Each structure stands twice: as C-alpha cells, then as structure tokens.
Amino acid sequence: MRTLIFRTVAPYLTSLMVLFSVFVLLRGHNEPGGGFIGGLIAASAFAIYGIACGVSPVRRALYFHPMAISGFGLFVSAMSGVVSLYLDMPFLTGQWTVINVLGLPVDVSTVLFFDIGVYLVVVGSITSIALALEEREHV
C-alpha cells in the first residue's frame, strides 16, 4: 500500500501520533493514559511510517536500534524502583520531590520515570516486531 497520497501523508501523521503519544505518556499519572498506551501509539506511528516508506527510513528516523531503546527503557524503569531501596522502603515505592527549573517549581517523581521506562520498552519492542514483519514481507 505505497500510494503517493499515503507516502506523502505518512511522515506528518507519524509526527502527530508521536507527539500525541508523549502527551498521553505525560498525563498518565492523573488521567487515563501512561507509558503503555503512549508507547503503543508511538509504535503504531512507526509502523504506519514503515508501511508507507519502508523499513530503512524508519530505522534512520529512530537513530537507535529498537531493542536498544527497549533495553534502555527497562533500565530506566528498574532504576526508578531502586531509589526507594536507598530510602529503606519497598522496591518501586513512589518518591516525589520538587525541583526549581528557571525559578518555577516542578514536581518530579519516580513514578514518572517508571512510566517513561515502560513507554520506551513498548516502543522498542513493538517497533522491532513491526519492522521485522515488514522486512519479511518484502523478502
């Protein structure tokens, strides 16, 4: 399905979907959403881009190998749980703090970093599967 219209629209649609996936990721603490759903949206965006333009443009756009993205996400999620161990609390207990960025208070939590890790795991693994399937289709 590599029509001219689809190839023309796919990069813009991919950009919008990735932006929306980051929005869903960041609002996931207080409202529906989070790392898993945001990651699925982003992986779907890369799959659409792969169907329209091929696998190699997607790999160039990702810059890192999808499984490396997934591994880094797993590391980030695990490290967000280790923070609570240093504070003599059970593993993966949420910790919150406030930092000042340009004079504005910003709430930061280990829960946010766990969600970011889950997002990266889902994006990396699902994108890797989708790209492998797309490569097999053209062999």
Side-chain angles (χ1 to χ4, degrees), residues 14-29:
T14 300
S15 301
L16 274 173
M17 287 178 72
V18 169
L19 184 65
F20 181 67
S21 76
V22 172
F23 169 74
V24 169
L25 164 70
L26 294 177
R27 80 173 200 155
H29 295 32

Side-chain angles (χ1 to χ4, degrees), residues 63-118:
Y63 190 73
F64 294 106
H65 192 278
M67 291 311 292
I69 294 170
S70 188
F72 182 70
L74 186 61
F75 176 76
V76 170
S77 292
M79 288 299 107
S80 70
V82 171
V83 171
S84 60
L85 292 177
Y86 285 112
L87 299 173
D88 291 329
M89 295 182 169
F91 183 68
L92 285 175
T93 302
Q95 305 297 322
W96 287 265
T97 188
V98 177
I99 60 172
N100 286 318
V101 177
L102 301 173
L104 297 172
V106 176
D107 294 326
V108 179
S109 68
T110 57
V111 179
L112 173 65
F113 289 103
F114 180 80
D115 271 350
I116 291 171
V118 169

